[in-house]
Amino acid sequence: QLQLVESGGGLVQPGGSLRLSCAASGLRLDIYSIGWFRQAPGKEREGVSCISSSGGSTNYADSVKGRFTISRDNAKNTVYLQMNSLKPEDTAIYYCAIKGGCGSNLRLSSWGQGTQVTVSS
């Protein structure tokens, strides 16, 4: 049962902001790369961002560059996704997962419940 827990989603107006959190108890996250993914209605799940174990390297999908920021606080065993300037097309269920490096599509944790982000007027 290697599963992470997402939180922080909600309903926000276009242009607004949300901060998502990814956490796990009984599991060290500081030795893993962590990725954020999302699945919008009627679409396939896609990668959004990834952060290396140390936090020294990050990457982003083109659709969110300049608006989203991934970070981690290893002392709190938590990874964050700060989402600014949100658009309706950002509406999706957001998931986090352990990755076998940010340059790999290997996933080492199961999908959790995710957290719903809805951007609407």
Side-chain angles (χ1 to χ4, degrees):
Q1 49 184 39
L2 194 60
Q3 188 176 79
L4 308 183
V5 178
E6 304 91 346
S7 63
L11 175 64
V12 65
Q13 294 183 340
S17 298
L18 286 172
R19 190 188 195 191
L20 307 184
S21 297
C22 172
S25 61
L27 176 69
R28 287 179 61 185
L29 297 185
D30 61 341
I31 61 173
Y32 299 111
S33 295
I34 303 295
W36 282 99
F37 304 79
R38 67 185 182 186
Q39 187 166 24
K43 296 185 178 180
E44 296 183 353
R45 203 190 315 260
E46 63 175 348
V48 175
S49 184
C50 187
I51 187 167
S52 64
S53 59
S54 68
S57 180
T58 60
N59 62 46
Y60 302 89
D62 288 342
S63 59
V64 306
K65 283 182 179 177
R67 300 188 298 118
F68 290 11
T69 302
I70 191 170
S71 64
R72 68 194 305 161
D73 186 342
N74 283 338
K76 295 183 177 180
N77 208 37
T78 302
V79 176
Y80 304 98
L81 185 67
Q82 178 68 46
M83 305 184 296
N84 299 325
S85 302
L86 283 162
K87 305 174 180 179
E89 50 262 46
D90 295 318
T91 295
I93 302 175
Y94 284 71
Y95 305 87
C96 60
I98 296 172
K99 296 192 65 179
C102 287
S104 171
N105 62 5
L106 179 64
R107 177 169 52 86
L108 301 177
S109 61
S110 59
W111 298 118
Q113 296 287 340
T115 186
Q116 176 72 53
V117 172
T118 302
V119 185
S120 176
S121 298

